[in-house]
Amino acid sequence: MAEHRAMQRAALLDAARSLLSQGGTDALTFPALAERTGLARSSVYEYFRSRAAVVEELCSVDFPQWAADIEAAMQQAAGPEEKVAAYVRRQLELVGDQRHRAVVAISASELDAGAREKIRAAHGGLIAMIVEALGDLGHTQPRLAAMLLQGMVDAAVRRIELGAAEDPTEITDAAVGMALRGVVG
């Protein structure tokens, strides 16, 4: 019974990711979740009391996996410059992933305080990952540099997601270049 419930919960989360990545938070409704999973709408309420609860669960499940993926890429890098490049590159490689699209949709939406706090904490975790490498590169304010770097990554993510004129590889290479050399080129 517990295994069946866990499978249904996972199916609901997969359906939520799919809805979010295709239509943003407006698409994430209990009738749509019920339709995607074949559950009765009343059954969806047995798992989640609200849309915000679905969003919070997605944040607590997907953000740690996403962060672990980025951290793993950084751990394979040799020195601080390579770590910065891996940090930027891996985030931009994840753009097409459904989990990432769902997270972006969630981040762009009106959220309750609990979900916003989870997103803030997850972003803080991402930034914390890169602070040491930036300090090793000689930044006197590595936390500030990390926050600015993440802002640039977020802008590159949006550019890729918009289907910009440039190929995603070009955007990624430009972002890595800016991260390592600034706007000097």
Side-chain angles (χ1 to χ4, degrees):
M1 182 67 186
E3 188 176 315
H4 179 68
R5 283 190 63 77
M7 285 173 54
Q8 284 191 323
R9 189 177 200 87
L12 284 164
L13 290 176
D14 280 342
R17 279 183 205 101
S18 176
L19 289 165
L20 284 163
S21 68
Q22 291 166 4
T25 49
D26 290 344
L28 181 62
T29 66
F30 278 37
L33 284 171
E35 185 182 321
R36 290 268 171 123
T37 57
L39 292 170
R41 192 179 344 181
S42 59
S43 296
V44 176
Y45 283 98
E46 290 176 31
Y47 292 89
F48 299 103
R49 70 190 177 286
S50 66
R51 207 163 69 143
V54 177
V55 167
E56 278 192 54
E57 179 95 6
L58 277 175
C59 290
S60 61
V61 169
D62 289 353
F63 267 129
Q65 289 180 354
W66 191 33
D69 198 347
I70 296 162
E71 194 165 26
M74 288 176 66
Q75 286 172 350
Q76 292 174 359
E81 273 194 38
E82 291 80 11
K83 285 186 188 313
V84 170
Y87 175 84
V88 173
R89 196 169 293 284
R90 191 63 193 130
Q91 284 190 68
L92 297 178
E93 286 167 356
L94 290 170
V95 168
D97 181 74
Q98 193 176 59
R99 284 177 195 273
H100 181 270
R101 285 200 310 266
V103 163
V104 168
I106 290 167
S107 299
S109 69
E110 292 295 313
L111 298 172
D112 71 356
R116 267 199 314 275
E117 190 45 49
K118 278 198 169 63
I119 290 172
R120 247 195 310 279
H123 271 278
L126 271 183
I127 288 166
M129 269 185 229
I130 198 66
V131 169
E132 184 181 346
L134 292 169
D136 292 345
L137 284 173
H139 279 278
T140 56
Q141 291 184 287
R143 181 146 179 81
L144 174 60
M147 291 162 79
L148 295 173
L149 173 63
Q150 187 58 46
M152 186 198 60
V153 171
D154 293 343
V157 163
R158 283 191 300 279
R159 186 112 185 119
I160 291 170
E161 292 216 321
L162 287 170
E166 306 87 7
D167 183 82
T169 307
E170 286 180 79
I171 296 169
T172 300
D173 291 345
V176 169
M178 285 186 76
L180 297 177
R181 292 178 294 286
V183 293
V184 176

